[in-house]
Amino acid sequence: RGMDDCPFCRTPFPDNDADLLAMVQARVAKNDPVATFCLGQKYRFGELGLQKDVRKGIELYTEAAKLGSAAALYSLGCAYSNGDGIELDKVKAVEFYAKAAMQGHVSCRYNLGHIEAEKGNYERALRHFLISAKLGDKESVENIKRVYMAGLATKEQ
């Protein structure tokens, strides 16, 4: 017993894919957002003996997002941003990133900063980078330096 036990039932994690899949599916049936997101990952990448099914993975991300998973919102944002398994839609990507950023997802906040910088909205980009830097994102710190060095921001901002 220890750190490798299931946080819900305290049983040790199974050592085979079939039992692990059954364990995840049991949590999904109880509307666990982490398990739902996890199952979406397994379908999307064809893990735990599941046939790769990106559409099913996206459906499970959507369900996990409805249940409150910031990681699922991030993955949906990435999928829409890249057109990965779903129709490319930059506007929807920004919406998902924004929702996850409001839940404290650092990578989403960073991505929003990057998107604003690409649009030339350096003041808004800087605000996003400042928030993600405060949350520990090192690349955001580097981007803040670049914005200052380029003369696109002042220390007052």
Side-chain angles (χ1 to χ4, degrees):
R1 297 243 188 249
M3 297 303 290
D4 294 327
D5 294 345
C6 174
F8 299 103
C9 63
R10 304 277 189 242
T11 60
F13 280 111
D15 57 1
N16 65 68
D17 289 349
D19 290 343
L20 185 56
L21 180 60
M23 190 178 225
V24 171
Q25 288 172 327
R27 293 302 314 159
V28 170
K30 295 179 180 180
N31 292 324
D32 180 337
V34 174
T36 304
F37 172 70
C38 178
L39 187 59
Q41 291 282 80
K42 302 310 175 194
Y43 270 106
R44 184 172 179 199
F45 298 108
E47 298 171 346
L48 295 183
L50 294 170
Q51 180 74 27
K52 183 176 179 176
D53 187 345
V54 177
R55 281 262 183 238
K56 177 74 171 171
I58 298 291
E59 288 172 18
L60 286 162
Y61 289 168
T62 303
E63 182 61 31
K66 288 177 186 173
L67 294 169
S69 171
L73 289 166
Y74 172 71
S75 292
L76 285 167
C78 290
Y80 277 106
S81 181
N82 301 320
D84 183 22
I86 202 159
E87 187 177 335
L88 182 75
D89 189 335
K90 298 286 186 178
V91 173
K92 275 191 176 182
V94 169
E95 290 173 9
F96 284 116
Y97 287 150
K99 287 178 183 177
M102 294 302 290
Q103 292 183 28
H105 197 283
V106 178
S107 296
C108 285
R109 185 65 69 177
Y110 170 83
N111 287 356
L112 290 170
H114 209 291
I115 291 165
E116 291 297 339
E118 287 176 349
K119 292 179 185 176
N121 298 332
Y122 299 111
E123 190 173 320
R124 288 188 68 161
L126 183 61
R127 279 190 256 148
H128 287 298
F129 290 142
L130 284 168
I131 292 169
S132 57
K134 285 179 184 176
L135 294 171
D137 187 67
K138 290 178 176 43
E139 190 60 34
S140 292
V141 174
E142 294 303 314
N143 282 336
I144 292 167
K145 289 179 192 176
R146 287 185 199 108
V147 171
Y148 282 126
M149 296 295 282
L152 300 170
T154 63
K155 289 187 179 183
E156 290 77 42
Q157 290 175 308

